[in-house]
Amino acid sequence: METGWLLPDLSDPTSGEFWRGCARGELLVQACAACGTWRMPPRPMCPRCRSTGVRWEASSGHGRIWSFIVPHPPLLPAFGAVAPYNAIVVALDEAPTIRFVGNLVVAADGEINEIDPSTITIGEPVRVVFHQIEDVTLPRWVRA
Amino acid sequence: MARRSSTGLIRNKTAVAGIGQTAFGKGLADTELSLACQAVSSALDDAGIDASEVDGVASYTMEPNREVDVARSVGLGDITWFSQVGFGGGAGCAVVGQAAMAVATGQCSVAVAWRARKRADPTSRPWAQAQARLTDSSQWTRPFGVIRPVDEIALLTRRYMHEYGGTRDHLANIALAFRKHAARNPASTMGHKPLTRDDYMSARWISEPLCLFDNCLETDGALAVVVVSAERARDLKQPPVYIHAFAQGLPPQHQTMTNYFNDDPLRGPAWTAARVMWEMADMTPADVKVAQLYDAFSPLIILSLEGYGFCARGEGGPFTDDGNIEWPNGRLPVNTSGGGMSEAYVHGFNLILEGARQIRGKSTAQVEGADVSLVTSGEGVPTSAILFTKDG
Ligand SMILES: [Zn+2]
């Protein structure tokens, strides 16, 4: 079903594996196969040692809110319908410069506008959950 | 860090000899191509140079009008140098600076640089267009509702407020200062509408913590400048506006607009451009009498004040207090024509013309003794900056 949501191309050669991990319930981080350095967003070469070798490693799925916003219209129709909603940036506990943009929700399949934005604080602990839209599984975050 | 050659500096070797612009507005009847041609033509008239002499052209990669079309309409000569610069609002000063490099190195002798834009055209609002599946870096932000440029910058703004204690009052200082400056500028689109702190604080949100008045305008219009050698400029109609230094900046591990993924996201491209620009200039931030800082969003002013060295990190907010960025008495009057937030938003090109007018002594908010004038392009994207001077 077409939802009008903006979604990634799952066949993208560089990042497709991240999205396939989400579908399995894993929050993966791209790691250099040669030196082990994590990187986010994914890219074809390690900026530390220039290896093109890649492996995907499971993260803890635990992090802290690094920043957040509350978008209001005008927005694309699918997003305008749930505005105002929150969007957050989460820094992983085990690697604070590995960050993910997401949404803070009450439960995996809740709407992205169910948390009172005035209660969101930078630094609060969150954990990843997963939610399917069309054929894509997106990571989201609940309070830990 | 590798030392740069000092013999190759373009310092004061070129000058802006002509400036031109169309009216600013919404829903202008003319096409973007017509607007571009009118701006280029008026800049050539201002310089007193015939169109057939133009042999260099430069614009943004986002510019809708191709060089061939502008050249055929305006009647330009044999073009021996043409170039475009990427990254939207980061390009403005680089377009002019690269034209200066081309003139200084003899690739051309008369270069014109321009930007024409109609915001009414759906292509000028990329985020609102129908999207196929995302394959670029937007796949890490848009599926989560971080869709518009304002959302992207709001995430950095909230983090800035958290780290440094920046406030909405600081952002209001910026919006109010620029509106006051616009009120003196008959070409501005918002000068007729006064803005109070109450108006600001009660405005509707666009992306919290940013409200309506933290955003630039949407404007139709075009602007152009003519760049020639300093020697030639001294023989022309207008007093030369020397291009003293020019720099571009793209720091390590930077991601354009959504720069949330490195060690220090609040230290953006401005710091890189500033480092190089001050290395190449024979002056310091204390010598700058007036600045036009790129203002697609008000928080970019705070980051730019820090990045270009007018204050320490975290002090950009308080720098805007006490009228410090206001004409005529502020320590550093900023965006004296009203800028992108209150004059017109033409991807920052109007800031370049205002920076040049300050050196000519022709601004509607003229800073007394403005012999050094800084213009910057977008912070938050790979960027550029120019120092204009009165003395060559
Ligand atoms: Zn490596």
Side-chain angles (χ1 to χ4, degrees), chain A residues 5-9 12 15 18-19 40-43 47 66-76 79 85 87 89 97 99 101-103 122 134-136 138-139, chain B residues 125 127-129 131-135 139-148 151 154-156 158-159 162-163 204-209 253 255 260-263 265:
Chain A
W5 212 258
L6 297 174
L7 292 167
D9 180 346
D12 183 65
S15 56
F18 173 86
W19 298 110
M40 173 66 199
R43 69 206 72 166
W66 184 86
S67 188
F68 68 98
I69 56 170
V70 184
H72 293 249
L75 287 153
L76 295 171
F79 293 87
Y85 54 85
V89 178
T97 62
R99 302 191 187 110
V101 178
N103 307 102
I122 288 179
E134 299 180 28
D135 58 343
V136 178
L138 296 177
Chain B
R125 266 187 159 188
W127 66 265
Q129 291 168 67
Q131 304 274 338
R133 285 290 175 100
L134 310 167
T135 55
Q139 70 184 294
W140 308 110
T141 50
R142 291 192 180 167
F144 310 101
V146 178
I147 297 170
R148 305 161 297 182
D151 302 319
L155 275 170
L156 290 175
R158 176 89 67 183
R159 181 68 196 182
H162 172 78
E163 285 196 21
R204 66 187 171 90
W205 294 114
I206 302 297
S207 194
E208 297 177 51
Q253 297 300 313
Q255 180 161 302
Y260 319 131
F261 304 100
N262 60 30
D263 294 347

Coordinates of all heavy atoms in Angstrom, one line a residue, chain A residues 5-9 12 15 18-19 40-43 47 66-76 79 85 87 89 97 99 101-103 122 134-136 138-139, chain B residues 125 127-129 131-135 139-148 151 154-156 158-159 162-163 204-209 253 255 260-263 265:
Chain A
W5 N 4.7 8.0 2.7 CA 5.8 8.1 3.6 C 7.1 8.1 2.8 O 7.2 7.5 1.8 CB 5.8 7.0 4.6 CG 6.4 7.3 6.0 CD1 7.6 7.1 6.4 CD2 5.7 8.0 7.0 NE1 7.8 7.6 7.7 CE2 6.6 8.2 8.1 CE3 4.4 8.6 7.1 CZ2 6.3 8.8 9.3 CZ3 4.1 9.3 8.3 CH2 5.0 9.4 9.4
L6 N 8.1 8.9 3.3 CA 9.4 8.9 2.6 C 10.2 7.7 3.1 O 10.4 7.6 4.3 CB 10.1 10.2 2.8 CG 9.4 11.5 2.3 CD1 10.2 12.7 2.7 CD2 9.3 11.4 0.8
L7 N 10.6 6.8 2.2 CA 11.2 5.6 2.6 C 12.5 5.3 1.8 O 12.7 5.7 0.7 CB 10.2 4.4 2.4 CG 9.0 4.5 3.3 CD1 7.9 3.5 2.9 CD2 9.4 4.2 4.8
P8 N 13.4 4.5 2.4 CA 14.7 4.2 1.7 C 14.5 3.1 0.6 O 13.5 2.4 0.6 CB 15.5 3.6 2.8 CG 14.6 3.1 3.8 CD 13.3 4.0 3.7
D9 N 15.4 3.1 -0.3 CA 15.5 2.1 -1.3 C 16.2 0.9 -0.8 O 17.4 0.9 -0.5 CB 16.2 2.7 -2.6 CG 16.3 1.7 -3.7 OD1 16.0 0.4 -3.5 OD2 16.6 2.1 -4.8
D12 N 19.6 -0.5 -2.2 CA 20.8 0.4 -2.2 C 22.0 -0.5 -1.8 O 22.0 -1.1 -0.7 CB 20.6 1.6 -1.3 CG 21.8 2.5 -1.4 OD1 22.0 3.1 -2.5 OD2 22.5 2.6 -0.4
S15 N 23.7 0.7 1.7 CA 23.0 0.8 3.0 C 21.9 -0.3 3.1 O 21.3 -0.4 4.2 CB 22.4 2.2 3.2 OG 21.6 2.5 2.1
F18 N 21.7 -2.4 6.2 CA 21.2 -1.8 7.4 C 19.7 -2.0 7.5 O 19.1 -2.4 8.6 CB 21.5 -0.3 7.5 CG 20.8 0.4 8.6 CD1 21.4 0.5 9.8 CD2 19.5 1.0 8.5 CE1 20.8 1.2 10.9 CE2 18.9 1.7 9.5 CZ 19.6 1.7 10.8
W19 N 19.0 -1.8 6.4 CA 17.5 -1.9 6.4 C 17.1 -3.3 6.6 O 16.1 -3.6 7.2 CB 16.9 -1.2 5.2 CG 17.3 0.3 5.1 CD1 18.1 0.9 4.3 CD2 16.8 1.3 6.0 NE1 18.2 2.2 4.6 CE2 17.4 2.5 5.6 CE3 15.9 1.3 7.1 CZ2 17.1 3.7 6.3 CZ3 15.6 2.5 7.7 CH2 16.2 3.7 7.3
M40 N 28.8 5.6 10.6 CA 27.4 5.9 10.4 C 27.3 7.3 9.9 O 27.8 8.2 10.5 CB 26.6 5.7 11.6 CG 25.1 6.1 11.6 SD 24.2 5.0 10.4 CE 22.7 6.0 10.1
P41 N 26.6 7.6 8.7 CA 26.0 6.6 7.8 C 27.0 5.7 7.1 O 28.1 6.1 7.0 CB 25.2 7.6 6.8 CG 25.1 8.9 7.5 CD 26.3 9.0 8.4
P42 N 26.5 4.6 6.6 CA 27.3 3.7 5.8 C 27.9 4.4 4.6 O 27.4 5.3 4.0 CB 26.3 2.6 5.3 CG 25.2 2.7 6.2 CD 25.1 4.2 6.6
R43 N 29.1 3.9 4.2 CA 29.8 4.4 3.0 C 30.7 3.3 2.5 O 31.0 2.4 3.2 CB 30.5 5.7 3.4 CG 31.7 5.5 4.3 CD 32.0 6.8 5.0 NE 31.0 7.0 6.1 CZ 31.2 7.9 7.1 NH1 32.2 8.6 7.2 NH2 30.2 8.0 8.0
P47 N 37.1 5.7 6.3 CA 37.9 6.9 6.3 C 39.1 6.8 7.2 O 40.0 7.7 7.1 CB 36.9 7.9 6.8 CG 35.9 7.2 7.6 CD 35.8 5.8 7.0
W66 N 20.2 12.9 21.7 CA 21.2 13.9 21.5 C 20.6 15.3 21.1 O 21.1 16.3 21.5 CB 22.1 13.4 20.4 CG 23.3 14.2 20.1 CD1 24.5 14.2 20.7 CD2 23.4 15.2 19.0 NE1 25.4 15.2 20.1 CE2 24.7 15.8 19.1 CE3 22.5 15.7 18.1 CZ2 25.2 16.8 18.2 CZ3 23.0 16.7 17.2 CH2 24.3 17.2 17.3
S67 N 19.5 15.2 20.4 CA 18.7 16.4 20.1 C 17.3 16.0 19.7 O 17.1 14.8 19.4 CB 19.4 17.2 19.0 OG 18.7 18.5 18.8
F68 N 16.4 17.0 19.6 CA 15.0 16.7 19.1 C 14.4 17.9 18.6 O 14.8 19.1 19.0 CB 14.2 16.1 20.2 CG 13.9 17.0 21.4 CD1 12.6 17.7 21.4 CD2 14.8 17.2 22.4 CE1 12.3 18.6 22.4 CE2 14.5 18.1 23.4 CZ 13.3 18.8 23.4
I69 N 13.4 17.7 17.7 CA 12.6 18.8 17.2 C 11.1 18.4 17.1 O 10.8 17.3 17.3 CB 13.0 19.2 15.7 CG1 13.0 18.0 14.8 CG2 14.4 19.8 15.7 CD1 13.1 18.3 13.3
V70 N 10.3 19.4 16.9 CA 8.9 19.2 16.8 C 8.4 19.9 15.5 O 8.1 21.1 15.5 CB 8.1 19.7 18.0 CG1 6.6 19.3 17.8 CG2 8.6 19.1 19.3
P71 N 8.4 19.2 14.4 CA 7.9 19.9 13.1 C 6.4 20.1 13.1 O 5.6 19.3 13.6 CB 8.3 18.8 12.0 CG 9.4 18.0 12.7 CD 8.9 17.9 14.1
H72 N 6.1 21.3 12.5 CA 4.7 21.7 12.3 C 4.5 21.9 10.8 O 5.5 22.2 10.1 CB 4.4 23.0 13.0 CG 4.4 22.9 14.5 ND1 3.3 23.0 15.3 CD2 5.5 22.6 15.4 CE1 3.6 22.8 16.6 NE2 4.9 22.6 16.7
P73 N 3.3 21.9 10.3 CA 3.0 22.2 8.9 C 3.6 23.6 8.4 O 3.8 24.4 9.3 CB 1.5 22.2 8.7 CG 1.1 21.4 9.9 CD 2.0 21.7 11.0
P74 N 3.8 23.8 7.1 CA 3.5 22.9 6.0 C 4.5 21.8 5.9 O 5.7 21.9 5.9 CB 3.7 23.9 4.8 CG 4.7 24.9 5.2 CD 4.5 25.1 6.7
L75 N 3.9 20.6 5.6 CA 4.7 19.4 5.5 C 4.1 18.5 4.4 O 3.0 18.8 3.9 CB 4.7 18.5 6.8 CG 5.6 19.1 7.9 CD1 5.0 18.7 9.3 CD2 7.0 18.6 7.8
L76 N 4.8 17.5 3.9 CA 4.2 16.6 3.0 C 3.0 16.0 3.6 O 2.9 15.8 4.8 CB 5.2 15.5 2.6 CG 6.4 15.9 1.9 CD1 7.4 14.8 1.8 CD2 6.1 16.5 0.5
F79 N 3.0 13.3 6.5 CA 3.6 13.8 7.7 C 2.8 14.9 8.3 O 2.7 15.0 9.6 CB 5.1 14.3 7.4 CG 6.0 13.2 7.0 CD1 6.1 12.8 5.7 CD2 6.7 12.5 8.0 CE1 6.9 11.7 5.3 CE2 7.6 11.4 7.6 CZ 7.7 11.0 6.3
Y85 N 4.7 16.4 15.4 CA 5.3 15.1 15.9 C 6.7 15.4 16.4 O 7.2 16.5 16.2 CB 5.2 14.1 14.8 CG 5.9 14.5 13.5 CD1 7.3 14.3 13.3 CD2 5.2 15.1 12.5 CE1 7.9 14.8 12.1 CE2 5.8 15.5 11.3 CZ 7.2 15.3 11.1 OH 7.8 15.7 10.0
A87 N 10.8 14.4 16.2 CA 12.0 13.7 15.6 C 13.1 13.9 16.5 O 13.3 15.0 17.1 CB 12.2 14.2 14.2
V89 N 17.4 12.8 17.6 CA 18.7 12.1 17.2 C 19.2 11.4 18.4 O 19.1 11.9 19.6 CB 19.8 13.2 16.8 CG1 21.1 12.5 16.5 CG2 19.3 14.0 15.6
T97 N 29.4 8.8 19.1 CA 29.4 9.5 17.8 C 28.7 8.7 16.7 O 28.6 9.2 15.6 CB 30.8 10.0 17.4 OG1 31.6 8.8 17.2 CG2 31.5 10.8 18.4
R99 N 25.3 7.9 15.6 CA 24.0 8.5 15.9 C 23.0 8.1 14.8 O 23.3 7.9 13.7 CB 24.1 10.0 16.0 CG 25.1 10.5 17.0 CD 25.1 12.0 17.3 NE 26.2 12.3 18.2 CZ 27.3 13.0 17.8 NH1 27.3 13.5 16.6 NH2 28.3 13.2 18.7
V101 N 18.9 9.2 13.4 CA 17.7 10.0 13.5 C 16.5 9.1 13.6 O 16.5 8.0 13.0 CB 17.6 10.9 12.3 CG1 16.3 11.7 12.3 CG2 18.8 11.8 12.2
G102 N 15.5 9.4 14.4 CA 14.4 8.6 14.6 C 13.2 9.3 15.2 O 13.2 10.6 15.2
N103 N 12.3 8.6 15.8 CA 11.2 9.2 16.5 C 11.0 8.5 17.9 O 11.2 7.3 18.0 CB 9.9 9.0 15.7 CG 10.0 9.5 14.2 OD1 10.2 8.7 13.3 ND2 10.0 10.8 14.1
I122 N 17.0 16.2 26.3 CA 18.3 15.8 25.8 C 19.0 15.0 26.9 O 19.0 15.4 28.1 CB 19.1 17.0 25.3 CG1 18.5 17.5 24.0 CG2 20.6 16.6 25.1 CD1 19.2 18.7 23.4
E134 N 4.9 0.1 4.7 CA 5.0 -0.5 3.4 C 5.9 -1.7 3.6 O 5.7 -2.5 4.5 CB 5.5 0.4 2.3 CG 4.5 1.6 2.1 CD 4.9 2.6 1.0 OE1 5.6 2.2 0.1 OE2 4.4 3.8 1.2
D135 N 7.0 -1.9 2.8 CA 7.9 -3.0 2.9 C 9.1 -2.7 3.7 O 10.1 -3.4 3.6 CB 8.2 -3.6 1.5 CG 8.9 -2.5 0.6 OD1 8.8 -1.3 1.0 OD2 9.5 -2.9 -0.4
V136 N 9.1 -1.6 4.4 CA 10.3 -1.1 5.1 C 10.1 -1.2 6.6 O 9.1 -0.8 7.1 CB 10.7 0.4 4.7 CG1 11.9 0.9 5.4 CG2 10.9 0.5 3.2
L138 N 11.4 0.4 10.0 CA 12.1 1.6 10.5 C 12.5 1.4 11.9 O 11.6 0.9 12.7 CB 11.3 2.9 10.3 CG 10.9 3.3 8.9 CD1 10.0 4.6 9.0 CD2 12.1 3.7 8.1
P139 N 13.7 1.8 12.4 CA 14.0 1.9 13.8 C 13.3 3.0 14.4 O 13.2 4.1 13.8 CB 15.5 2.0 13.8 CG 15.8 2.7 12.6 CD 14.8 2.3 11.5
Chain B
R125 N 11.5 24.3 -4.4 CA 11.3 23.7 -3.1 C 11.5 22.2 -3.2 O 10.5 21.4 -3.3 CB 9.8 23.9 -2.7 CG 9.6 25.1 -1.9 CD 8.1 25.1 -1.5 NE 7.9 26.0 -0.3 CZ 6.8 26.0 0.4 NH1 5.8 25.3 0.0 NH2 6.7 26.8 1.4
W127 N 12.2 19.8 -1.3 CA 11.6 18.8 -0.3 C 10.2 18.5 -0.6 O 9.7 17.5 -0.2 CB 11.8 19.3 1.1 CG 11.0 20.6 1.4 CD1 11.5 21.9 1.3 CD2 9.6 20.7 1.8 NE1 10.5 22.8 1.7 CE2 9.3 22.1 2.0 CE3 8.6 19.7 2.1 CZ2 8.1 22.5 2.4 CZ3 7.4 20.2 2.5 CH2 7.1 21.6 2.7
A128 N 9.5 19.4 -1.3 CA 8.0 19.2 -1.5 C 7.7 18.4 -2.8 O 6.5 18.2 -3.1 CB 7.3 20.6 -1.6
Q129 N 8.7 18.0 -3.6 CA 8.5 17.3 -4.8 C 8.2 15.8 -4.5 O 8.7 15.3 -3.5 CB 9.6 17.4 -5.7 CG 9.8 18.8 -6.3 CD 11.1 19.0 -7.0 OE1 11.3 18.4 -8.0 NE2 12.0 19.8 -6.4
Q131 N 8.6 12.1 -4.3 CA 9.9 11.4 -4.0 C 9.8 9.9 -4.5 O 8.9 9.3 -4.1 CB 10.2 11.4 -2.5 CG 10.2 12.8 -1.9 CD 11.6 13.5 -2.0 OE1 12.6 12.8 -2.2 NE2 11.6 14.8 -2.0
A132 N 10.8 9.5 -5.1 CA 11.0 8.1 -5.3 C 11.7 7.6 -4.0 O 11.9 8.3 -3.1 CB 11.9 7.8 -6.5
R133 N 11.9 6.3 -4.0 CA 12.7 5.8 -2.8 C 14.0 6.5 -2.6 O 14.7 6.8 -3.6 CB 12.8 4.2 -3.0 CG 11.5 3.5 -2.7 CD 11.2 3.5 -1.2 NE 9.9 2.9 -0.9 CZ 9.7 1.6 -0.5 NH1 10.8 0.9 -0.2 NH2 8.5 1.2 -0.2
L134 N 14.4 6.7 -1.4 CA 15.6 7.5 -1.1 C 16.9 6.6 -1.2 O 16.9 5.5 -0.5 CB 15.5 8.1 0.3 CG 14.2 8.8 0.6 CD1 14.0 9.1 2.1 CD2 14.1 10.1 -0.2
T135 N 17.9 7.1 -1.9 CA 19.2 6.3 -2.0 C 20.3 7.2 -1.4 O 21.4 6.6 -1.1 CB 19.5 5.9 -3.4 OG1 19.5 7.1 -4.2 CG2 18.5 5.0 -4.0
Q139 N 18.1 9.3 3.2 CA 17.4 8.1 3.8 C 17.6 7.9 5.3 O 16.9 7.2 6.0 CB 17.9 6.8 3.1 CG 19.3 6.4 3.4 CD 19.8 5.2 2.7 OE1 19.3 4.1 2.8 NE2 20.8 5.5 1.8
W140 N 18.5 8.7 5.9 CA 18.8 8.6 7.3 C 18.0 9.6 8.1 O 18.1 9.7 9.3 CB 20.3 8.8 7.6 CG 21.1 7.8 6.8 CD1 21.9 8.1 5.7 CD2 21.0 6.4 6.9 NE1 22.3 6.9 5.1 CE2 21.8 5.8 5.8 CE3 20.4 5.5 7.7 CZ2 22.0 4.5 5.6 CZ3 20.6 4.1 7.5 CH2 21.4 3.6 6.5
T141 N 17.3 10.5 7.4 CA 16.5 11.6 8.1 C 15.1 11.7 7.7 O 14.2 11.8 8.5 CB 17.2 12.9 7.8 OG1 17.4 13.1 6.4 CG2 18.6 13.0 8.5
R142 N 14.8 11.6 6.4 CA 13.4 11.9 5.9 C 12.4 10.8 6.3 O 11.3 11.2 6.6 CB 13.4 12.0 4.4 CG 14.1 13.3 4.0 CD 13.9 13.8 2.6 NE 14.6 15.0 2.4 CZ 14.9 15.6 1.3 NH1 14.5 15.0 0.2 NH2 15.6 16.7 1.2
P143 N 12.8 9.5 6.4 CA 11.7 8.6 6.9 C 11.3 8.9 8.3 O 10.3 8.3 8.8 CB 12.5 7.2 6.8 CG 13.5 7.4 5.8 CD 14.0 8.9 6.0
F144 N 12.0 9.7 9.0 CA 11.7 10.1 10.4 C 11.1 11.5 10.5 O 11.0 12.0 11.6 CB 12.9 9.9 11.3 CG 13.6 8.6 11.0 CD1 14.7 8.5 10.2 CD2 13.0 7.4 11.6 CE1 15.3 7.2 10.0 CE2 13.6 6.2 11.3 CZ 14.7 6.1 10.5
G145 N 10.7 12.0 9.4 CA 10.0 13.3 9.4 C 10.9 14.5 9.5 O 10.5 15.6 9.7
V146 N 12.2 14.3 9.3 CA 13.2 15.4 9.2 C 13.3 15.7 7.7 O 14.1 15.1 7.0 CB 14.5 15.1 9.8 CG1 15.5 16.3 9.7 CG2 14.3 14.8 11.3
I147 N 12.4 16.6 7.2 CA 12.2 16.6 5.7 C 12.7 17.9 5.1 O 13.3 17.9 4.1 CB 10.6 16.5 5.5 CG1 10.2 15.1 6.0 CG2 10.3 16.7 4.0 CD1 8.7 15.0 6.0
R148 N 12.4 19.0 5.8 CA 12.7 20.4 5.2 C 14.0 20.9 5.8 O 14.4 20.5 6.8 CB 11.6 21.3 5.6 CG 10.2 20.9 5.2 CD 9.1 21.6 6.0 NE 9.2 21.4 7.5 CZ 8.4 21.9 8.4 NH1 7.4 22.7 8.0 NH2 8.6 21.6 9.7
D151 N 13.8 21.8 9.4 CA 13.9 20.6 10.3 C 15.3 20.2 10.6 O 15.7 20.0 11.7 CB 13.1 19.4 9.8 CG 11.7 19.7 9.5 OD1 11.0 20.4 10.3 OD2 11.2 19.2 8.4
A154 N 17.0 22.9 12.7 CA 16.4 22.9 14.0 C 17.0 21.9 14.9 O 17.2 22.1 16.1 CB 14.9 22.7 13.9
L155 N 17.4 20.7 14.4 CA 18.0 19.7 15.2 C 19.4 20.2 15.7 O 19.7 19.9 16.9 CB 18.2 18.4 14.4 CG 17.0 17.4 14.4 CD1 17.2 16.3 13.4 CD2 16.7 16.9 15.8
L156 N 20.1 20.9 14.9 CA 21.4 21.5 15.4 C 21.2 22.6 16.4 O 21.9 22.8 17.3 CB 22.2 22.0 14.2 CG 22.8 20.9 13.2 CD1 23.5 21.6 12.0 CD2 23.8 20.0 13.9
R158 N 18.6 23.0 18.5 CA 18.3 22.5 19.8 C 19.5 22.0 20.6 O 19.7 22.2 21.8 CB 17.3 21.3 19.7 CG 16.9 20.7 21.0 CD 15.8 21.3 21.7 NE 14.6 21.1 21.0 CZ 13.4 21.6 21.3 NH1 13.2 22.3 22.4 NH2 12.3 21.3 20.6
R159 N 20.4 21.3 19.8 CA 21.6 20.8 20.5 C 22.5 22.0 20.9 O 23.1 22.0 22.0 CB 22.4 19.9 19.5 CG 23.7 19.4 20.0 CD 23.4 18.3 21.1 NE 24.6 18.1 21.9 CZ 24.6 17.2 22.9 NH1 23.5 16.5 23.2 NH2 25.7 17.0 23.6
H162 N 21.2 23.4 24.1 CA 21.5 22.5 25.2 C 23.0 22.7 25.6 O 23.3 22.8 26.8 CB 21.3 21.1 24.8 CG 21.7 20.1 25.8 ND1 21.0 19.8 26.9 CD2 22.8 19.3 25.8 CE1 21.7 18.9 27.6 NE2 22.8 18.5 26.9
E163 N 23.9 22.7 24.6 CA 25.3 22.8 25.0 C 25.8 24.1 25.5 O 26.6 24.2 26.4 CB 26.2 22.4 23.7 CG 26.2 20.9 23.4 CD 27.3 20.5 22.5 OE1 28.3 21.2 22.4 OE2 27.1 19.4 21.9
R204 N 3.8 31.5 14.9 CA 3.6 30.0 14.8 C 4.9 29.3 14.7 O 5.9 29.8 14.1 CB 2.6 29.7 13.7 CG 3.1 30.0 12.3 CD 2.0 29.7 11.3 NE 2.4 30.2 10.0 CZ 3.0 29.5 9.1 NH1 3.3 28.2 9.3 NH2 3.3 30.0 7.9
W205 N 5.0 28.1 15.2 CA 6.1 27.2 15.0 C 6.2 26.7 13.6 O 5.2 26.5 13.0 CB 6.1 26.0 16.0 CG 6.1 26.3 17.4 CD1 5.1 26.1 18.3 CD2 7.3 26.7 18.2 NE1 5.6 26.4 19.6 CE2 6.9 26.8 19.5 CE3 8.6 27.1 17.8 CZ2 7.7 27.3 20.5 CZ3 9.4 27.6 18.8 CH2 9.0 27.6 20.1
I206 N 7.5 26.5 13.1 CA 7.7 25.8 11.9 C 8.3 24.4 12.2 O 7.8 23.4 11.8 CB 8.6 26.6 10.9 CG1 7.9 27.9 10.6 CG2 8.8 25.8 9.6 CD1 6.6 27.9 9.9
S207 N 9.4 24.5 13.0 CA 10.0 23.3 13.5 C 10.6 23.6 14.9 O 11.7 24.2 14.9 CB 11.0 22.7 12.5 OG 11.3 21.4 12.8
E208 N 9.9 23.3 15.9 CA 10.4 23.7 17.3 C 11.9 23.2 17.5 O 12.1 22.0 17.2 CB 9.5 23.2 18.4 CG 8.1 23.7 18.4 CD 7.2 23.0 19.4 OE1 7.7 23.0 20.6 OE2 6.2 22.5 19.0
P209 N 12.8 24.0 17.9 CA 12.7 25.4 18.5 C 12.7 26.6 17.5 O 12.9 27.7 17.9 CB 13.9 25.4 19.4 CG 14.9 24.7 18.6 CD 14.2 23.6 17.9
Q253 N 34.6 14.8 7.5 CA 33.4 14.0 8.1 C 32.1 14.9 8.1 O 31.2 14.7 8.9 CB 33.7 13.5 9.5 CG 34.8 12.4 9.5 CD 34.5 11.2 8.6 OE1 33.4 10.7 8.6 NE2 35.4 10.8 7.7
Q255 N 28.6 16.2 6.8 CA 27.4 15.8 6.0 C 26.5 17.0 5.8 O 26.1 17.6 6.7 CB 26.6 14.7 6.6 CG 25.5 14.3 5.7 CD 24.9 12.9 6.1 OE1 25.7 11.9 6.1 NE2 23.7 12.8 6.5
Y260 N 24.9 15.5 11.7 CA 24.7 15.0 13.1 C 25.7 13.8 13.4 O 25.5 13.2 14.5 CB 23.3 14.5 13.3 CG 22.2 15.4 12.7 CD1 21.3 14.8 11.9 CD2 22.2 16.7 12.9 CE1 20.3 15.6 11.3 CE2 21.3 17.5 12.3 CZ 20.3 16.9 11.5 OH 19.3 17.7 10.9
F261 N 26.6 13.5 12.5 CA 27.2 12.2 12.6 C 28.7 12.2 12.8 O 29.4 11.3 12.6 CB 27.0 11.4 11.3 CG 25.5 11.3 11.0 CD1 24.9 12.1 10.1 CD2 24.7 10.3 11.7 CE1 23.5 12.0 9.8 CE2 23.3 10.2 11.4 CZ 22.7 11.0 10.5
N262 N 29.2 13.4 13.3 CA 30.7 13.4 13.6 C 31.0 13.9 15.0 O 30.0 14.1 15.8 CB 31.4 14.3 12.6 CG 30.9 15.7 12.5 OD1 30.5 16.2 13.6 ND2 31.0 16.4 11.4
D263 N 32.2 14.1 15.4 CA 32.6 14.4 16.7 C 32.0 15.7 17.2 O 31.7 15.9 18.4 CB 34.1 14.4 16.9 CG 34.8 13.1 16.6 OD1 34.0 12.1 16.6 OD2 36.0 13.0 16.5
P265 N 29.4 18.3 15.7 CA 28.5 18.8 14.6 C 28.3 20.3 14.6 O 27.9 20.8 13.6 CB 27.2 18.0 14.9 CG 27.7 16.8 15.6 CD 28.8 17.2 16.5

